[in-house]
Amino acid sequence: MYIDVCAVLFSVIVVGVLGQTVKQPELSWTKGEGRRAYISCTVTGLQSDNYVHWYQQKDGEALTRILYVNKGASSTIHNPDFLDAKDFSVKLGNNDVYTLRIDAVKQSHSGVYYCACWDTSSHSETNCSHPLQ
């Protein structure tokens, strides 16, 4: 069985009011159930109080936050209300690339994935990127 996973957030570079840049290059792919999946998001210009958030959206539903990580990805906070949250992790690679990892893709992981950065762990007014419609 194959599962569609889409990463359609910032397929174009987006620059926000604080000078941060968010770029998510992969647009769509299909993975076999049980396979590992990676979704990359480049976030430059983060300050020490910025966080990178990852969201999942299913057809006809609102965005659901999966988790967020601090600058450097040394601390990950999973959303306790997102049932599959523990299936996901984030690693910081070279050149400010934050990679969301799904260890074993399940049917419930099917959806659109978004990354965004905010200046605190909450969703404040001073977000540094805006989703493209």
Side-chain angles (χ1 to χ4, degrees):
M1 169 182 276
Y2 287 93
I3 300 167
D4 289 329
V5 176
C6 297
V8 182
L9 162 65
F10 305 107
S11 57
V12 177
I13 295 176
V14 177
V15 179
V17 294
L18 300 177
Q20 289 88 350
T21 303
V22 177
K23 181 179 172 185
Q24 196 169 356
E26 295 94 356
L27 293 180
S28 179
W29 63 92
T30 302
K31 288 284 186 180
E33 194 164 2
R35 302 288 306 247
R36 189 170 290 148
Y38 300 93
I39 305 170
S40 296
C41 180
T42 302
V43 183
T44 58
L46 286 179
Q47 304 300 312
S48 62
D49 61 346
N50 292 154
Y51 291 80
V52 176
H53 298 252
W54 283 94
Y55 298 87
Q56 180 191 67
Q57 186 173 31
K58 295 191 174 288
D59 254 357
E61 296 182 16
L63 290 172
T64 302
R65 183 167 58 180
I66 303 166
L67 55 78
Y68 62 93
V69 297
N70 65 332
K71 179 183 177 183
S74 62
S75 176
T76 302
I77 308 298
H78 289 89
N79 177 0
D81 298 326
F82 186 75
L83 296 178
D84 289 335
K86 294 295 184 182
D87 295 342
F88 297 83
S89 60
V90 174
K91 182 177 181 185
L92 175 61
N94 295 333
N95 301 318
D96 299 316
V97 177
Y98 289 78
T99 301
L100 182 70
R101 175 180 163 162
I102 307 170
D103 284 324
V105 172
K106 300 190 282 192
Q107 184 66 39
S108 60
H109 296 150
S110 181
V112 179
Y113 289 82
Y114 295 86
C115 70
C117 57
W118 305 88
D119 83 349
T120 65
S121 60
S122 66
H123 297 158
S124 72
E125 291 292 322
T126 55
N127 61 319
C128 58
S129 57
H130 298 79
L132 298 177
Q133 299 298 324

